[in-house]
Amino acid sequence: MGAIEKLQGAVAASLLVAATVVSPNPAVAQQPAPAPPAAAAQGAPADKQQELDQLLAPIALYPDALVAQILMASTYPLEVVEAARWTKEHPNVKEKALEDEMQKQTWDESVKALTTVPQVLKQMNENLSWTQKLGDAFLADQATVLATVQSLRAKASQAGNLKSTPEQTVKTETVENKTVYVIESAKPETVYVPTYNPSTIYGPWPYPSYPPYYMYPPGYAYAPGLAFATGVFVGAAIWGNCNWGGNNVNINVNKYNNFNRQNINNGNFNHKAEHRKGVAYKDQGVAQKYNRGGDRQAAQSRDQFRGRAEQGRNELGSMDRGDLNNRVSQADRAGGGIGGDRSAGAGGDRSGVGGGDRGSAGAGGRDVGGGNRAGASAGTTDRGSGGGFSGANGGASTRAASTQGAASRSSMSSSGRSGGSFGGGGGGGGGGRGGGGGRGGGGRR
């Protein structure tokens, strides 16, 4: 088993247990339900919107560029695991050396970018169930995901918890007649990752049935409001961008080309299905969009084929020999007179009066009459006129010939081997292998 297959198995196992590791805070779920907030992302059903708030609460207050980078990378959960393991094994590879190392890796560029912020990559790896759900939601509906980020930022601002600090700049802009909150790092080439309690930072959490996800394990002591880890120099590595006007994620082309040493000119984000490495898409529409929608149909076709094959085997097992002969006669040897395969007629294989394969009149080889191991006057033959699985009587004629052959062999045995032959002068007139004797009309000399 290769390394990728082992890793895929580990990821599958992680996804089964990740819900317990990334579980929402149980204390929040026990709080009484407050009135729903007036401001909510538009265009999503209530239950879907609550799930999106739950998913995005841990990162909605991150800088815009980092939010975009996380959303893109979350669509490749297996590569996130691989990159997180790599950074754990290479903690001292940074800045220019890290950029050089990333040119050797085959991960998607959005995943490579997060190796410059190992804290975030570690969180995504340890909270793998959340990562995959986030990526699925983003691929299914970018606009609603981005609108949810803005809705959560508005709540944090109203609660007095979203302000400019020495680590980040918070500003509001009017885009298409709506107010949006923009968060940027105070230093363009440095990222400060904020830490906060998602159940309190937005004010009282409004959905007891959908408590927010947490980046840190239960029992972690959160500081009031926003707290920041030491800034991480990322240079041009974090090249994602949130387009709040169109509610989608795009690319800072100059930074992208600089870090990845490429020369693209398209600033749109394009998901690359090959980097999923077998991880299924939750949304069937997304799967079809990226040519992964046929897997289920192919599996159904295989199941149906296996069902038909099993039915055929059962039918064959229930047939008697006569039915089987008739089926084969009808399907496999229909139209026996045309170039007959082992059947009578001029030029026939092992048959025919004038051109018999193993005998001709007077040759004395093994047959007298020139037929296929049978005499010209034999009433029933093994492979003569009509074929073994065809003819008027089908399997019955074959069994009759077999009986006559047995009688012939018995006659041969009683006559001994006198005269240097294997059979008597007359063998029985329609014996198993010849009309003129057991194995030949004139014996062997």
Side-chain angles (χ1 to χ4, degrees):
M1 181 181 292
I4 291 296
E5 288 78 4
K6 290 181 180 178
L7 187 54
Q8 287 174 330
V11 170
S14 299
L15 290 174
L16 291 175
V17 301
T20 60
V21 179
V22 198
S23 58
N25 190 339
V28 177
Q30 298 172 3
Q31 295 177 358
Q42 299 179 356
D47 55 346
K48 178 182 177 183
Q49 186 57 59
Q50 292 168 11
E51 290 176 359
L52 288 176
D53 282 13
Q54 180 186 48
L55 282 172
L56 290 159
I59 63 168
L61 304 185
Y62 283 14
D64 290 10
L66 186 56
V67 169
Q69 209 74 55
I70 291 172
L71 290 175
M72 290 185 284
S74 68
T75 66
Y76 311 112
L78 183 58
E79 293 191 341
V80 165
V81 174
E82 294 173 349
R85 291 183 177 183
W86 188 93
T87 57
K88 183 178 180 179
E89 294 169 358
H90 304 84
N92 297 320
V93 180
K94 300 178 180 179
E95 299 182 9
K96 180 63 168 59
L98 179 60
E99 182 179 326
D100 292 339
E101 285 297 323
M102 288 303 101
Q103 310 312 309
K104 305 174 185 177
Q105 303 300 329
T106 59
W107 311 317
D108 186 80
E109 284 76 9
S110 62
V111 176
K112 293 180 183 180
L114 289 180
T115 60
T116 62
V117 195
Q119 174 187 349
V120 171
L121 202 55
K122 179 176 181 289
Q123 291 169 345
M124 295 177 72
N125 177 44
E126 292 178 349
N127 301 306
L128 193 56
S129 176
W130 169 82
T131 298
Q132 184 170 0
K133 290 178 181 178
L134 181 68
D136 288 338
F138 175 65
L139 288 175
D141 192 349
Q142 280 194 47
T144 304
V145 166
L146 271 292
T148 299
V149 170
Q150 282 298 322
S151 174
L152 289 169
R153 288 181 177 183
K155 294 173 186 177
S157 179
Q158 292 167 6
N161 293 323
L162 184 60
K163 302 175 182 178
S164 292
T165 68
E167 295 84 11
Q168 68 180 21
T169 300
V170 179
K171 57 185 179 181
T172 59
E173 297 178 353
T174 300
V175 179
E176 297 182 358
N177 298 320
K178 61 184 178 183
T179 300
V180 299
Y181 292 82
V182 178
I183 303 177
E184 298 174 342
S185 292
K187 299 177 181 179
E189 295 185 338
T190 302
V191 168
Y192 297 88
V193 181
T195 301
Y196 56 86
N197 187 340
S199 67
T200 60
I201 198 75
Y202 303 107
W205 187 256
Y207 314 123
S209 298
Y210 295 89
Y213 283 94
Y214 286 74
M215 285 298 188
Y216 295 92
Y220 181 85
Y222 291 91
L226 292 174
F228 293 88
T230 303
V232 178
F233 179 83
V234 296
I238 304 301
W239 39 261
N241 181 62
C242 292
N243 174 21
W244 300 118
N247 269 340
N248 67 329
V249 163
N250 55 26
I251 294 170
N252 183 317
V253 172
N254 291 332
K255 286 186 175 182
Y256 179 98
N257 289 336
N258 190 350
F259 183 76
N260 296 297
R261 301 175 187 175
Q262 298 183 26
N263 188 29
I264 69 168
N265 52 24
N266 185 351
N268 297 322
F269 164 68
N270 294 306
H271 175 71
K272 302 169 186 174
E274 63 271 19
H275 287 281
R276 291 281 287 193
K277 295 185 176 178
V279 178
Y281 292 95
K282 178 182 178 182
D283 186 275
Q284 188 63 18
V286 173
Q288 292 176 350
K289 179 179 179 181
Y290 296 107
N291 296 322
R292 296 297 188 272
D295 294 346
R296 183 177 300 175
Q297 290 89 332
Q300 290 174 345
S301 296
R302 289 192 295 270
D303 290 340
Q304 291 170 359
F305 175 81
R306 283 192 288 266
R308 290 193 299 269
E310 185 63 28
Q311 180 181 359
R313 284 192 291 268
N314 292 336
E315 289 179 356
L316 286 174
S318 65
M319 288 183 186
D320 61 25
R321 184 72 179 180
D323 288 340
L324 179 59
N325 289 342
N326 288 335
R327 288 284 185 93
V328 175
S329 173
Q330 294 168 7
D332 192 39
R333 301 190 179 224
I338 306 173
D341 179 16
R342 299 187 180 181
S343 62
D349 181 19
R350 298 190 179 184
S351 65
V353 175
D357 183 30
R358 295 203 178 187
S360 61
R366 290 196 180 185
D367 298 310
V368 172
N372 182 12
R373 299 190 179 184
S377 63
T380 56
T381 64
D382 190 11
R383 295 190 181 183
S385 174
F389 288 108
S390 61
N393 296 320
S397 64
T398 302
R399 288 192 292 271
S402 178
T403 301
Q404 293 179 9
S408 176
R409 287 191 293 274
S410 176
S411 175
M412 289 164 54
S413 175
S414 64
S415 63
R417 297 186 180 236
S418 60
S421 68
F422 285 108
R433 296 206 179 190
R439 290 206 178 187
R444 287 190 179 179
R445 294 179 174 85

